[in-house]
């Protein structure tokens, strides 16, 4: 099978290519692209049998490719987020791999593609994902976190707050567990329901359900008492105080 890898992260792209070459000698990588534009240009002159495709690319999400090009290959989504992947899988048209990609999961996906008799149903895929190529739900309902060798699905309703500390980002669950998380605070904030979560500072996003009390401090700032108790001073920045008070009401 001729393979195209669509991935904008260099390390992820090279890692996937290396694993394919080492463990699947019957797969031939005929190209690697990193953007919607580059992929569309590649597909004009090539016909891969199998595409490993990241969802979020450098110039938009991959569903723009399906809207603008005829894709007859089998498609396996690779993503760090399951909100896109699960919807795509439910369309009955593709498989998906959650990053970091494990060899066992990659083997499963390749075997499914080898034995498929039907190609991707693009109409069903885009319908399942909504007209804009986004999930039916406007906001994230689940995050995937890693704890050692374990991959843990964490419902958004079970998250107390997100925070940055020592140049790393973390999720604090309502049970008191804490998980390191790779996404930026900006991207996390965009995916959360603003009725439930508020970004009180550049380094912290808190859930309404985690707030126990609020104390006014000198200088106009607010100190938030949250449960579970944070390892840092959870303070609302001055610029966000008025919006925070309106939100909490």
């Amino acid at each position: 099978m001729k393979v195209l890898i669509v991935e904008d992260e260099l390390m992820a792209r090279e890692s996937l290519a290396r694993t394919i070459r080492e463990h699947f000698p019957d797969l031939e990588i005929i190209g690697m692209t990193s953007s919607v534009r580059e992929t569309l240009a590649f597909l004009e002159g090539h016909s891969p049998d199998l595409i490993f495709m990241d969802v979020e690319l450098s110039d938009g999400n991959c569903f723009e490719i399906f809207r603008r090009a005829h894709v007859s290959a089998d498609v396996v989504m690779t993503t760090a987020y399951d909100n896109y992947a699960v919807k795509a899988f439910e369309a009955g048209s593709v498989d998906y791999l959650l990053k970091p990609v494990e060899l066992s999961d990659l083997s499963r996906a390749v075997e499914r593609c080898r034995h498929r008799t039907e190609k991707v149903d693009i109409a069903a895929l885009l319908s399942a994902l909504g007209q804009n190529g986004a999930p039916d739900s406007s906001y994230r309902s689940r995050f995937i976190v890693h704890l050692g060798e374990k991959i843990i699905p964490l419902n958004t309703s079970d998250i107390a707050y997100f925070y940055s500390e020592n140049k790393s980002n973390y999720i604090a669950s309502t049970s008191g567990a804490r998980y390191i998380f790779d996404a930026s605070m900006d991207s996390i904030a965009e995916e959360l329901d603003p009725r439930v979560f508020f970004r009180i500072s550049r380094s912290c996003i808190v859930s309404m359900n985690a707030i126990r009390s609020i104390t006014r401090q000198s200088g106009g700032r607010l100190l938030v008492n949250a449960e579970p108790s944070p390892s840092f001073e959870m303070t609302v920045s001055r610029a966000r105080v008025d919006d925070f008070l309106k939100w909490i009401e």
Side-chain angles (χ1 to χ4, degrees):
M1 286 191 290
K2 296 179 180 179
V3 173
L4 169 64
I5 297 175
V6 182
E7 170 63 69
D8 66 340
E9 296 179 14
L10 177 60
M11 291 183 64
R13 185 167 65 243
E14 294 296 333
S15 175
L16 179 57
R18 184 169 55 253
T19 302
I20 290 173
R21 292 187 181 109
E22 290 178 358
H23 297 277
F24 305 93
D26 60 321
L27 301 188
E28 177 191 1
I29 299 174
I30 62 171
M32 292 191 285
T33 60
S34 61
S35 67
V36 172
R37 184 178 63 178
E38 190 178 356
T39 304
L40 289 171
F42 182 89
L43 290 174
E44 286 181 358
H46 302 83
S47 299
D49 301 306
L50 170 60
I51 304 176
F52 291 97
M53 186 176 289
D54 188 15
V55 174
E56 297 293 344
L57 301 173
S58 59
D59 58 350
N61 74 48
C62 71
F63 303 110
E64 184 64 23
I65 297 169
F66 295 110
R67 285 191 289 268
R68 295 170 58 183
H70 174 67
V71 179
S72 59
D74 285 319
V75 177
V76 175
M77 296 292 180
T78 61
T79 177
Y81 310 111
D82 71 340
N83 58 333
Y84 289 113
V86 169
K87 284 295 182 182
F89 188 68
E90 287 175 350
S93 303
V94 296
D95 200 348
Y96 69 92
L97 303 175
L98 290 176
K99 297 179 183 177
V101 176
E102 299 288 341
L103 177 58
S104 59
D105 294 332
L106 181 59
S107 298
R108 179 203 67 213
V110 170
E111 284 303 308
R112 283 180 176 173
C113 291
R114 282 175 175 153
H115 294 96
R116 282 174 62 86
T117 57
E118 298 179 359
K119 295 298 182 181
V120 175
D121 185 339
I122 300 302
L125 173 61
L126 293 179
S127 175
L129 290 156
Q131 293 182 351
N132 296 321
D136 293 339
S137 175
S138 300
Y139 305 107
R140 286 284 289 273
S141 61
R142 183 182 302 163
F143 286 81
I144 298 297
V145 296
H146 301 269
L147 185 61
E149 297 299 318
K150 292 182 179 180
I151 299 175
I152 303 172
L154 187 64
N155 291 332
T156 306
S157 59
D158 295 326
I159 295 175
Y161 45 86
F162 302 80
Y163 67 99
S164 299
E165 193 172 63
N166 298 325
K167 298 183 178 180
S168 295
N169 295 330
Y170 297 87
I171 294 177
S173 73
T174 54
S175 66
R178 285 169 170 79
Y179 307 95
I180 194 166
F181 197 66
D182 291 334
S184 69
M185 295 296 285
D186 287 340
S187 64
I188 293 172
E190 291 177 357
E191 296 180 317
L192 295 171
D193 187 342
R195 296 170 299 179
V196 180
F197 289 89
F198 190 93
R199 189 171 186 178
I200 62 173
S201 66
R202 290 182 59 84
S203 60
C204 183
I205 303 169
V206 65
S207 167
M208 177 84 73
N209 298 324
I211 298 174
R212 294 296 173 264
S213 64
I214 304 163
T215 304
R216 291 190 179 274
Q217 293 187 310
S218 59
R221 295 190 302 172
L222 301 175
L223 179 65
V224 177
N225 173 30
E227 182 66 33
S229 181
S231 59
F232 57 95
E233 191 174 76
M234 188 176 284
T235 305
V236 183
S237 64
R238 294 183 185 91
R240 293 179 167 92
V241 165
D242 289 343
D243 288 339
F244 175 77
L245 291 175
K246 291 178 183 177
W247 173 76
I248 202 72
E249 289 177 358

